[in-house]
Amino acid sequence: MIMRRKSRYILVRSTRPLDIEVRDREYQFLKEVERFMGIGAYCASHPKIANKAGSNMFIVKVNRGSECSFALATSFIKRIADMDIGFQTVKTSGSISQLKRLAAKS
Amino acid sequence: MQYCDYIRDVNAADSKLAKLLGFQKMLTSLDGISIVASPQTIGTHENKVILEGNCAYIMKHVNDRRVVGIIIDDFEADKNLIEHARHKEKALIINAGKLTNSSDSYRARNIIRARELVKNALHYKIKISIASTARTANEVLSAGQLIEVAQMLGASQVQGKKMLTILGDLL
């Protein structure tokens, strides 16, 4: 029997429009997250872009318990490829729908 | 809990953005608190002032009644300054923006020094706060991120949350 993996969804806001759906951008963002989290914490967290929620917001799925280290890692990311950019974690939730509603409201 | 942050860039502060990031208010120099950095003097400032500089600069100006907080450059504080700050009831503000924006070579050094500073401040029971002091929109951090940075520097979660409320009390 395979045990269900428990996860959390984090709404992340970028300071400029970032086309996170483009595979290259997603890879660069996750590469920076890995750089600041460390390989061990990154593998334990297993972050993945779950959904795009606006021009400068997206939802990241992480394993439960690692949302704090993910938030800390994103605060250190200031550059992706050639772009100066900053990231802020807006809210953490157990479901995507609540975060989508929050993103639509803002 | 009413969390506040201090932003240097007046254009980046926005009440809607503040609410989205978990703050009651993003303070700027327009709200009656301004940062006076070394080697400037306080002069005829009417507002409340946060001093920013090295220990020698801060010791020279900290007795002014307009000073409500201090930001120590390079996070190096000596025992005299900490005791003086405790005696005069000035808040020690940790510059989270400097920690997160440092280049690779200085980041580890700044974090280690900031950890030492926070440890001493908590031990001597000084009012300690944390702020992003963002110069641009890219340097703004959310309330959750500031609490995580405070925990990285050695504060507990309760202490980290309290650190975000101190800035609002300075007004």
Side-chain angles (χ1 to χ4, degrees), chain A residues 56-70:
Chain A
N56 63 343
M57 282 199 190
F58 52 94
I59 298 172
V60 177
K61 179 180 176 181
V62 297
N63 285 341
R64 191 180 70 167
S66 58
E67 50 269 22
C68 297
S69 53
F70 179 84

Side-chain angles (χ1 to χ4, degrees), chain B residues 42-128:
Chain B
I42 299 175
T44 53
H45 260 277
E46 289 174 6
N47 295 339
K48 296 182 182 179
V49 157
I50 296 174
L51 288 177
E52 184 181 18
N54 57 15
C55 287
Y57 171 80
I58 291 174
M59 285 295 279
K60 197 172 157 190
H61 297 286
V62 74
N63 290 328
D64 195 311
R65 59 175 178 78
R66 289 166 290 182
V67 173
V68 293
I70 55 175
I71 297 176
I72 303 175
D73 256 357
D74 292 339
F75 307 101
E76 270 195 290
D78 59 12
K79 194 181 165 190
N80 288 335
L81 176 61
I82 290 178
E83 283 189 4
H84 205 71
R86 182 178 65 161
H87 179 63
K88 295 285 179 185
E89 292 184 10
K90 310 291 183 190
L92 174 64
I93 299 171
I94 301 295
N95 191 350
K98 188 156 185 184
L99 290 176
T100 56
N101 291 309
S102 304
S103 61
D104 291 343
S105 47
Y106 292 107
R107 188 182 300 121
R109 183 192 78 167
N110 285 340
I111 290 174
I112 289 167
R113 285 184 183 174
R115 279 181 65 94
E116 196 66 30
L117 182 60
V118 167
K119 185 181 90 171
N120 286 324
L122 290 172
H123 176 73
Y124 286 102
K125 296 189 174 42
I126 302 172
K127 260 193 300 188
I128 181 168

Side-chain angles (χ1 to χ4, degrees), chain A residues 74-92:
Chain A
T74 51
S75 62
F76 286 96
I77 301 174
K78 299 296 169 195
R79 199 168 175 85
I80 285 194
D82 298 330
M83 274 199 301
D84 284 330
I85 194 168
F87 293 95
Q88 296 117 21
T89 53
V90 174
K91 194 163 173 63
T92 303

Side-chain angles (χ1 to χ4, degrees), chain B residues 108-167:
Chain B
R109 183 192 78 167
N110 285 340
I111 290 174
I112 289 167
R113 285 184 183 174
R115 279 181 65 94
E116 196 66 30
L117 182 60
V118 167
K119 185 181 90 171
N120 286 324
L122 290 172
H123 176 73
Y124 286 102
K125 296 189 174 42
I126 302 172
K127 260 193 300 188
I128 181 168
S129 177
I130 189 166
S132 61
T133 63
R135 294 177 196 270
T136 64
N138 291 343
E139 297 178 12
V140 173
L141 297 174
S142 67
Q145 286 174 315
L146 282 176
I147 292 171
E148 290 306 319
V149 172
Q151 286 188 269
M152 178 185 71
L153 298 178
S156 67
Q157 194 176 37
V158 172
Q159 287 167 335
K161 287 179 179 176
K162 194 179 171 193
M163 281 158 79
L164 284 185
T165 62
I166 299 275
L167 269 178

Side-chain angles (χ1 to χ4, degrees), chain A:
Chain A
M1 185 179 146
I2 299 172
M3 290 182 71
R4 189 169 143 255
R5 195 177 72 183
K6 291 172 185 168
S7 53
R8 287 288 177 263
Y9 297 93
I10 304 173
L11 182 62
V12 179
R13 178 186 174 270
S14 60
T15 53
R16 52 193 291 181
L18 178 72
D19 204 1
I20 202 74
E21 284 171 331
V22 173
R23 197 139 181 205
D24 195 35
R25 288 271 183 262
E26 179 182 347
Y27 169 74
Q28 284 162 3
F29 172 73
L30 292 176
K31 192 174 152 193
E32 288 293 309
V33 169
E34 185 195 347
R35 181 176 158 222
F36 289 109
M37 275 180 102
I39 186 77
Y42 181 84
C43 291
S45 166
H46 192 54
K48 201 176 118 180
I49 307 292
N51 211 335
K52 188 173 172 181
S55 60
N56 63 343
M57 282 199 190
F58 52 94
I59 298 172
V60 177
K61 179 180 176 181
V62 297
N63 285 341
R64 191 180 70 167
S66 58
E67 50 269 22
C68 297
S69 53
F70 179 84
L72 183 61
T74 51
S75 62
F76 286 96
I77 301 174
K78 299 296 169 195
R79 199 168 175 85
I80 285 194
D82 298 330
M83 274 199 301
D84 284 330
I85 194 168
F87 293 95
Q88 296 117 21
T89 53
V90 174
K91 194 163 173 63
T92 303
S93 171
S95 66
I96 286 188
S97 55
Q98 192 183 4
L99 296 180
K100 279 184 181 174
R101 263 183 266 134
L102 178 62
K105 221 192 304 182
S106 61

